[in-house]
Amino acid sequence: MKITTIISLLMLAGCLFSCRQEDDLEPSEMSSSFAPVPGATDQTSKLREEFYKATGCYLLFNDTLKHEYKGLDAYGKPYYETELVDLNWNMTSVGKARLRFEYLELKQQEKASEFLSDYLIPYVKDILPYSVLAVRKINQYTHEEDVWEYSSSPLTISNINCLALNLSELWEGKKDEETLAQDLCCEMILANWGGDATYYYSGGKAEAFFKVMRRYQYNKSWYDIPYGLGETGMEELKELGFLINTDARYTPSEKEDVISYIKACLRMTAEEFEDLYGDYDVIMRKYNILKPLVDETGIKF
């Protein structure tokens, strides 16, 4: 009986202490590893801090978020705690590609920050991700026969907490700033809809769009499309539900396909689109799924 009483008193005291402590609690100011080091005065940190203050989105120029010395291991060798922006990682999958980034020098960082603020942010201010990684170039490699081989240089790569931007065209002169900003905007719209890109963007807002493609496109082998498509081949692609021809052998990828529809929604009225593609059942089915989602963003070109 005495033991029970003691336990009850201890529990009551614990509850009272907990309540008193909760009254005294103040929110702690936790620093995000995506933020510049507090108090840093170098030019890169200043650019990043100004960008965050203006947009609420973290700006990165390097995919290493943290690399801190933690002492010596059992063998007397130094070890570090390292945190990376792992763009291959998503909530439900891990990508199989290997990514290599070419980083920006300081002058390029300044130009990139200016481009983002002046051209891209006005379009995407309402759909900004948690962070953006601005790099000189993104190189993607795939594993073939035990060898990593270069496969592509995508415009963007994203996961749940970061969107990497390939800004090579700012220096190569292939596109003007406005065109590049619009292309990046379309890819950011797709990223904002979420979904796992490894599995046809399953779980995202545009999942129904990709289900149409699984139903129609993959009943027909990619190799059924003749080599050297040209203008005559476009007719066959339209019947399959594609707006663009990106390769002489293969149909457009899922990402290329949906981006072409996003661009069409932003650059054409519904009447103009129907005049061009109204006779193609699969195209109109996909367009009617995507158009309301694009309209919801409020973005206009």
Side-chain angles (χ1 to χ4, degrees):
M1 186 69 179
K2 288 182 179 180
I3 292 175
T4 305
T5 303
I6 291 171
I7 291 174
S8 299
L9 288 171
L10 287 172
M11 291 177 65
L12 178 60
C15 290
L16 290 173
F17 178 77
S18 175
C19 292
R20 185 169 65 252
Q21 288 292 99
E22 286 181 6
D23 292 338
D24 297 336
L25 287 178
E26 293 182 2
S28 60
E29 295 184 4
M30 295 187 65
S31 175
S32 169
S33 55
F34 286 77
V37 176
T41 58
D42 61 282
Q43 191 59 31
T44 295
S45 295
K46 287 181 179 178
L47 286 172
R48 296 177 59 207
E49 185 177 4
E50 289 168 5
F51 188 86
Y52 180 77
K53 286 179 179 178
T55 65
C57 171
Y58 291 109
L59 175 61
L60 307 173
F61 293 115
N62 193 299
D63 66 329
T64 300
L65 299 175
K66 181 169 62 176
H67 186 64
E68 297 178 357
Y69 174 72
K70 289 298 181 180
L72 301 177
D73 63 16
Y75 301 98
K77 295 181 179 180
Y79 70 93
Y80 298 83
E81 182 179 335
T82 303
E83 182 181 356
L84 301 175
V85 178
D86 188 353
L87 289 163
N88 270 323
W89 181 88
N90 272 297
M91 289 293 288
T92 57
S93 69
V94 177
K96 296 179 180 179
R98 178 176 289 177
L99 302 173
R100 291 288 181 267
F101 302 111
E102 297 178 19
Y103 299 122
L104 300 170
E105 298 174 358
L106 180 57
K107 288 293 183 184
Q108 294 174 324
Q109 292 174 7
E110 293 170 350
K111 182 174 181 178
S113 179
E114 184 178 321
F115 163 74
L116 295 176
S117 298
D118 293 347
Y119 290 94
L120 184 59
I121 298 302
Y123 285 129
V124 299
K125 58 182 181 295
D126 294 327
I127 60 166
L128 282 170
Y130 182 73
S131 67
V132 295
L133 169 61
V135 294
R136 174 69 174 76
K137 194 174 184 181
I138 302 171
N139 295 309
Q140 189 168 20
Y141 297 81
T142 54
H143 199 243
E144 300 289 343
E145 298 181 357
D146 296 327
V147 177
W148 288 99
E149 294 185 353
Y150 172 84
S151 61
S152 64
S153 181
L155 190 60
T156 68
I157 293 284
S158 64
N159 68 1
I160 192 170
N161 57 18
C162 187
L163 178 81
L165 306 177
N166 179 349
L167 300 181
S168 59
E169 290 172 347
L170 273 181
W171 288 272
E172 293 173 358
K174 293 180 180 178
K175 296 177 184 175
D176 59 63
E177 285 90 343
E178 191 66 37
T179 302
L180 177 58
Q182 290 187 2
D183 287 349
L184 289 169
C185 172
C186 292
E187 301 221 5
M188 291 179 80
I189 289 173
L190 174 61
N192 181 257
W193 288 337
D196 193 333
T198 307
Y199 301 107
Y200 310 104
Y201 295 89
S202 59
K205 283 188 176 182
E207 183 175 19
F209 175 93
F210 297 99
K211 284 184 176 178
V212 174
M213 293 313 297
R214 290 202 295 278
R215 179 179 175 187
Y216 289 95
Q217 176 189 350
Y218 297 106
N219 286 339
K220 186 176 183 68
S221 167
W222 283 1
Y223 289 96
D224 286 346
I225 305 294
Y227 288 88
L229 285 165
E231 291 299 320
T232 55
M234 260 322 296
E235 187 63 29
E236 188 169 359
L237 285 173
K238 289 176 186 176
E239 293 289 347
L240 289 171
F242 296 106
L243 303 181
I244 54 172
N245 171 19
T246 57
D247 194 282
R249 294 178 61 190
Y250 303 110
T251 56
S253 68
E254 295 82 12
K255 185 175 181 180
E256 289 169 336
D257 183 37
V258 69
I259 293 298
S260 71
Y261 275 83
I262 293 172
K263 286 182 179 179
C265 290
L266 290 170
R267 292 174 176 168
M268 281 189 255
T269 65
E271 293 76 17
E272 289 170 339
F273 189 90
E274 189 166 3
D275 286 343
L276 282 175
Y277 302 110
D279 293 334
Y280 301 94
D281 176 66
V282 184
I283 287 179
M284 293 308 301
R285 209 174 284 197
K286 291 163 64 179
Y287 176 80
N288 289 328
I289 291 170
L290 215 63
K291 183 67 163 64
L293 298 178
V294 175
D295 289 345
E296 279 179 14
T297 67
I299 294 170
K300 296 185 185 299
F301 287 169

